[in-house]
Amino acid sequence: MNRRALTLGALAVSGALALTACGSDDTGASSGSSSSASAGNTGSIKCDNAKGQLQASGSSAQKNAIDAWVKAYTAACKDVQINYNPTGSGAGVTAFTQGQTAFAGSDSALKPEDAAAAKKACGGNAAIDLPMVGGPIAVGYNVPGVDNLVLDASTIAKIFDGKIKTWDDAAIKKLNPSATLPSTKIQAFHRSDESGTTDNFTKYLIATAPADWKYSGGKAWQAQGGQSAQGSAGLAQQVKQTPGAISYFELSYAADGIKAVDLKTDAAAPVKATVENATKAISTAKVVGTGNDLALKLNYKPTAEGAYPLTLVTYEILCEKGNKADTLAATKSFLTYIASEDGQNQLTAAQYAPIPAEIITKVRSTISNLG
């Protein structure tokens, strides 16, 4: 597949591409029905006689999206039970390559060594990356009395590498001249587990502050010092309860009073971590996968005003062919729903960004041909 930039105009998912049920499905809802459950509209969810348990694990970044999707899907498809364990991207990929799950969620595309292992789990067929969830990585902080905070990539790199140790450091003051910054010690928290969020966070630092972030990157945290916690939820909890704390996690976890840093970029004004601003950056990603593999290369240096560059895309990783027969129907049914217009529309309410139309269209086509 040739590399191509995704235009901002492609972000609106065409209603003509919505995957809707024709006739009647397992829910008894007919095509075009406005029947709904408390979890959301179920009329467009086609169960296709799917039954049984669907095991999946991986990215904690997409957990809140998965929770919303599972609630809606299982309200319609009552014969399917979906168990998604947010163990982190690294653990999720490992479980998939060991044949323990139907699919894995990962905030990074499969590495070559993982692809080789996954091929064995797929009966000699290739595993593919299907981008399903986008969104901003928020840099959350807890500094009492500081309601607005601007940081740039260089300062963030120095904070997480232990080079900047207090909140009244000169570099932070320069970026926040009107703030009253305390001398509180900075408590920088990183993921203890292998994480695609860590991978994307450090890719951003490598791309934008190479002089201050000398590490090679990856799912495992490499810098020395700091403190750690399990999963995005664990990091968010530490920030919430620890004065002086700072960490990184998906915007959906920056709730319950957690404040997020505004990023100083080359744009005229600092950029807030919002779904809309992340969408502006994700729209400039390029497809670097081949065939039905839709791995993306994100642009960490977008030039558009208001583009929030610290973003990630979560992939659902599964076999292109060779999926287990006992879970194939449920896998196709559930993935068909979450890639549909209705499924993608749920993302914004959950503080995630839908996948641009050009890519999600290909995702839908690939899912329909899974075997």
Side-chain angles (χ1 to χ4, degrees):
M1 181 178 294
N2 294 328
R3 296 189 179 190
R4 59 192 185 273
L6 307 178
T7 61
L8 182 60
L11 288 168
V13 181
S14 171
L17 295 170
L19 297 179
T20 56
C22 297
S24 62
D25 60 19
D26 293 354
T27 70
S30 60
S31 177
S33 169
S34 61
S35 173
S36 63
S38 60
N41 191 311
T42 62
S44 63
I45 299 175
K46 193 171 183 180
C47 303
D48 284 332
N49 297 313
K51 298 178 181 179
Q53 290 193 352
L54 192 60
Q55 304 290 340
S57 65
S59 165
S60 64
Q62 69 170 355
K63 179 185 182 296
N64 294 333
I66 289 283
D67 286 349
W69 283 331
V70 168
K71 184 177 181 181
Y73 178 82
T74 55
C77 303
K78 300 183 185 301
D79 291 330
V80 180
Q81 180 181 349
I82 300 174
N83 300 311
Y84 182 82
N85 190 357
T87 54
S89 296
V93 169
T94 297
F96 174 74
T97 59
Q98 292 177 348
Q100 298 172 8
T101 53
F103 66 89
S106 177
D107 306 320
S108 301
L110 281 173
K111 300 293 190 291
E113 59 270 24
D114 294 325
K119 191 170 184 179
K120 293 181 180 179
C122 294
N125 298 286
I128 52 176
D129 302 283
L130 299 183
M132 200 69 75
V133 182
I137 299 174
V139 180
Y141 70 96
N142 180 349
V143 184
V146 180
D147 294 328
N148 297 287
L149 186 69
V150 176
L151 296 176
D152 58 16
S154 174
T155 305
I156 292 172
K158 291 175 182 176
I159 286 172
F160 281 89
D161 199 26
K163 301 296 192 300
I164 293 178
K165 300 180 183 299
T166 62
W167 282 108
D168 60 352
D169 186 273
I172 302 177
K173 283 184 174 180
K174 184 177 180 180
L175 291 165
N176 299 273
S178 61
T180 303
L181 296 165
S183 59
T184 306
K185 179 183 177 181
I186 294 175
Q187 307 277 359
F189 285 87
H190 58 265
R191 289 281 288 271
S192 59
D193 53 320
E194 289 199 357
S195 160
T197 311
T198 293
D199 192 15
N200 283 277
F201 178 66
T202 55
K203 279 179 180 176
Y204 164 74
L205 296 178
I206 291 167
T208 55
D212 301 303
W213 193 258
K214 301 292 188 180
Y215 306 97
S216 61
K219 291 187 179 77
W221 185 258
Q222 296 173 325
Q224 301 300 307
Q227 301 181 65
S228 64
Q230 174 84 19
S232 295
L235 292 182
Q237 181 62 29
Q238 290 297 333
V239 170
K240 184 178 179 181
Q241 68 187 22
T242 309
I246 187 170
S247 191
Y248 56 92
F249 33 75
E250 298 67 44
L251 183 62
S252 63
Y253 289 92
D256 298 326
I258 296 178
K259 302 177 181 67
V261 165
D262 295 347
L263 289 183
K264 178 72 171 68
T265 67
D266 290 336
V271 185
K272 292 187 177 298
T274 68
V275 168
E276 294 77 15
N277 291 344
T279 294
K280 291 180 183 179
I282 293 172
S283 70
T284 65
K286 294 180 180 179
V287 175
V288 293
T290 57
N292 285 323
D293 183 79
L294 296 173
L296 302 176
K297 182 178 181 180
L298 297 175
N299 177 14
Y300 295 109
K301 294 182 178 180
T303 58
E305 290 293 323
Y308 184 84
L310 183 46
T311 61
L312 61 72
V313 168
T314 301
Y315 302 90
E316 313 312 334
I317 297 173
L318 67 161
C319 303
E320 183 176 15
K321 302 292 181 182
N323 292 283
K324 294 179 180 178
D326 60 341
T327 57
L328 177 58
T331 299
K332 289 182 70 171
S333 174
F334 179 64
L335 294 183
T336 294
Y337 162 60
I338 68 177
S340 73
E341 184 178 23
D342 282 353
Q344 289 289 298
N345 282 346
Q346 286 216 38
L347 292 175
T348 302
Q351 296 296 299
Y352 295 97
I355 299 300
E358 180 182 354
I359 296 303
I360 203 66
T361 301
K362 179 65 173 175
V363 169
R364 292 168 182 161
S365 176
T366 300
I367 293 169
S368 69
N369 291 316
L370 291 174

